[in-house]
Amino acid sequence: MKSVQLGFEESQKLLVKYDIPIKGEMADSVQDALDAADEQGYPLVIKVLSESIIHKSDRGGVILNLENKDELTRAYHDMLERFKTESTQPDFGILVQPMAQYGFELFIGAKQDPGFGPITMIGIGGIYVELYSDAATGIGVLTREDVLRMLSQTKAGTALDGYRNRVLDKEAIIRLTINVSRLMAENPEILELDLNPVITRNTGFDIVDYRLIKGSRPVSYHRFCELSAAKVKSLGDIFAARSAAVIGASRPGTQGGVILKNCLGIKKLYPIHPRLKRIQGLPCYKRLQDLPEVPEVGIFAVNAERTVQIFEDFCKLGGKGAIIFSDGFAEIGRHELEDRLIELSNQYNVAYIGPNCLGVIDNFSKLYTNFIPEQRSLPVKKPNGIGIISQSGGIGLELLEMFEADNMGVGRWVSIGNASCVGVPEILAHMGRDPKIKLIAIYLEGVADGLKLLEIGKEVTKKKPVLVIKGGTGGGAQAALSHTASLAGSHEAFKACCQQAGFYLVEELTEDPKILVNVLSILTSQPQTDGDRTAVVSVGGGAAILIADQITEKGMHLASFAPETKQELKELMKQGLKSEQLGKSNQLLKNVGNNPIDLLGDCDDDRLLETIRIIDKDPNTDLIIAAIYLQVPLLSEYLPERLVELKAELSKPLIVSARGFSDYVGRCREYLSEKGLRTYTIPMIKPIDLALKIWKRYGISFME
């Protein structure tokens, strides 16, 4: 797209329309400059304006503090001489402006993003704007709350709040930032806008310099529109399936065979195959038209061409919704086939998930279309309130296996594939409306409709938490583009989208996807707590020290025990002292009552369990982390059973970190998990911190 920098008059006209004041006058001659000076008053500044001169100060294109006519005349001639080569260009000009008063320098900029539309930035400005890299981002037309959030993430915001008793006009800057976002939203042909520096004072501001870039045509991006009632209903029919046809069903060992076997929980299940008579004990049909009824859901596992042909038949017969596993569409450049699917979907109001997806798992309706064989995976068939949306089939599968390994259930799991009919926003909206889904987690690689995701996300997060993990933020961006048929938006815009929508963004996915699983595990297995005052109990001191360090680094708080709690802990420790230790008891008991608590290597079951009971009653503690080396000799093999019994007595969350990886520790962890007391190695503190934030925001328990 060809682009040009707008001249002063055109820029001023557009900016003033949005209450963005630009001062100054263009001067084509010395006399013009002198006339402008008479109107504006001294002191003055003159600047060279040209599309080819970006950093004017670096080129000597700015002359400051001109106090009178003589200084202005000399400066004007000097400027012409300095830029005599550029002065022959049609866009060359000299701007005369009043000299701005001293103040704090800000940068406010904006650009059009193909995935999210207009994005606006604010931060420290001036000649060091790139060096400081202080800007925070917002998308769409911003609200006052959006701008306050952005400022809270920057050093510029700290200065505007009043630094060293210096008062600045924060409200004027908030209004200016909102106006910039409005200008960009209503003028999509403006590709970029820079205001730098914006000199802020105790009252008002001056925009010292500006730059607007206009494209030859407006940027096209997906604008938010309400989901159609027909599409919402069709999507609901998929997840409430009472009858389904598997197009491409076959014998075991094939994709269609695995899908059919996994879907046997559907009461009315119809295999479609042109030659076979029976599969999995079910009568087989040659065509959709031969079925005794019109199936509500069509599950497609045939090639792309046949999928399009049979999907048209399915729509004409009155099918309600479809899941399309088939690949060979837009992800390999065959857009015409996928366009035909979209056309049929719109014509008949039949929604589909896919194509090029790994399927749908709905443990409420028993629609289980994952094509991974059970013997090669860990099928999750226990329903709960967790909904998973994944743009990657592989990551979605990995998360499923982690859930099952931790004895967690899943309510609904959707692999969206190319998402040409319904994507993350539509599935999110559906899960947001479903009372059976309490928690939602999303894995994303690309964002083609960022504004829709933002607007739907705002509504969903009013009622339930949404956690997001994203691939393709750095070196993986190119792979994300090639993996799906969607368009990756800029990561800064994506982060802003998450913040404005109220999502919890888990950014460490590339380090360990277990973070997301552990957040959901903690929320669904522990009672709600309102605070983050944490008690750390350990059998073996090293683990406790590491955990305590991580707690404070994360910004959480270590509990300071009440005096009565400390006294009870000392009495408990005295009971365990041997006769030869009694003489040294003062030294041994000196640190008892401090946090973290080291119960020493001679700890037995009773000492550990009673310590946890005492802390559970402590008024200054909100949750308990128990770091346990189960290998310690005096801890019995019955400790896992006793911990399960203890958990039922407690009023506060008990996070058990079973340390080590021996077979014995593994067996203990497996037993505890089966009984609903899930244990954690690493990562642990990040998930706890996120769970605490969710509990505090929503004020409800998510326990199963």
Side-chain angles (χ1 to χ4, degrees), residues 599-614:
L599 296 178
L600 307 178
D602 64 350
C603 180
D604 59 13
D605 293 6
D606 291 335
R607 184 188 296 175
L608 171 62
L609 299 174
E610 189 58 31
T611 297
I612 294 173
R613 288 191 183 96
I614 291 170

Side-chain angles (χ1 to χ4, degrees), residues 258-278:
V258 174
I259 293 170
L260 182 68
K261 182 179 179 181
N262 285 344
C263 283
L264 290 175
I266 298 289
K267 291 184 178 179
K268 295 182 178 181
L269 185 61
Y270 303 108
I272 306 292
H273 192 284
R275 293 179 301 278
L276 298 177
K277 300 297 182 184
R278 297 186 72 82

Side-chain angles (χ1 to χ4, degrees), residues 170-403:
K170 183 176 181 179
E171 290 302 321
I173 294 302
I174 292 173
R175 291 192 297 272
L176 174 60
T177 309
I178 292 171
N179 290 342
V180 167
S181 73
R182 284 182 50 238
L183 183 154
M184 296 297 290
E186 295 173 13
N187 299 272
E189 72 279 4
I190 301 299
L191 306 184
E192 297 178 33
L193 182 154
D194 284 352
L195 307 178
N196 181 41
V198 177
I199 297 184
T200 310
R201 304 183 301 276
N202 60 347
T203 303
F205 58 84
D206 285 318
I207 298 172
V208 174
D209 211 348
Y210 70 93
R211 182 169 177 260
L212 278 79
I213 304 298
K214 182 178 181 179
S216 56
R217 62 181 184 275
V219 171
S220 176
Y221 54 86
H222 292 262
R223 297 174 185 269
F224 173 69
C225 59
E226 294 291 337
L227 303 180
S228 72
K231 183 172 283 189
V232 170
K233 182 181 184 306
S234 178
L235 194 56
D237 290 333
I238 293 175
F239 296 117
R242 290 167 296 184
S243 62
V246 180
I247 298 98
S250 190
R251 294 191 174 100
T254 64
Q255 184 187 72
V258 174
I259 293 170
L260 182 68
K261 182 179 179 181
N262 285 344
C263 283
L264 290 175
I266 298 289
K267 291 184 178 179
K268 295 182 178 181
L269 185 61
Y270 303 108
I272 306 292
H273 192 284
R275 293 179 301 278
L276 298 177
K277 300 297 182 184
R278 297 186 72 82
I279 312 175
Q280 297 287 346
L282 299 172
C284 200
Y285 300 85
K286 290 184 178 181
R287 309 176 304 157
L288 283 171
Q289 291 85 342
D290 298 331
L291 298 181
E293 64 175 321
V294 177
E296 292 178 326
V297 178
I299 303 166
F300 290 79
V302 292
N303 65 44
E305 289 83 2
R306 290 192 63 207
T307 292
V308 173
Q309 295 167 6
I310 301 173
F311 181 66
E312 183 170 3
D313 294 338
F314 177 77
C315 293
K316 289 179 178 178
L317 287 169
K320 294 182 177 180
I323 302 165
I324 302 178
F325 287 85
S326 317
D327 57 11
F329 289 90
E331 78 280 358
I332 63 168
R334 301 177 74 186
H335 295 278
E336 72 284 356
L337 290 176
E338 196 148 343
D339 289 344
R340 180 59 179 156
L341 285 178
I342 297 169
E343 182 182 334
L344 290 167
S345 172
N346 293 335
Q347 180 180 350
Y348 292 97
N349 288 320
V350 175
Y352 63 83
I353 294 170
N356 184 34
C357 71
L358 202 62
V360 168
I361 295 172
D362 189 287
N363 281 323
F364 306 112
S365 68
K366 304 305 178 185
L367 181 70
Y368 201 106
T369 69
N370 189 332
F371 66 73
I372 302 299
E374 287 191 8
Q375 64 271 25
R376 294 191 178 186
S377 185
L378 294 173
V380 183
K381 296 193 174 181
K382 181 174 67 175
N384 68 1
I386 296 175
I388 304 293
I389 309 169
S390 181
Q391 204 170 44
S392 162
I395 294 295
L397 176 64
E398 186 176 351
L399 292 173
L400 275 179
E401 293 190 351
M402 287 182 178
F403 290 162

Side-chain angles (χ1 to χ4, degrees), residues 559-561 565-566 569-570 589-597:
S560 296
F561 301 131
T565 301
K566 293 182 179 181
L569 290 172
K570 287 184 178 180
L589 297 176
K590 183 178 179 181
N591 293 323
V592 173
N594 292 341
N595 188 14
I597 302 170

Side-chain angles (χ1 to χ4, degrees), residues 403-424:
F403 290 162
E404 182 59 24
D406 283 1
N407 283 288
M408 294 171 60
V410 167
R412 186 167 297 137
W413 176 95
V414 183
S415 163
I416 63 170
N418 290 2
S420 56
C421 177
V422 293
V424 171

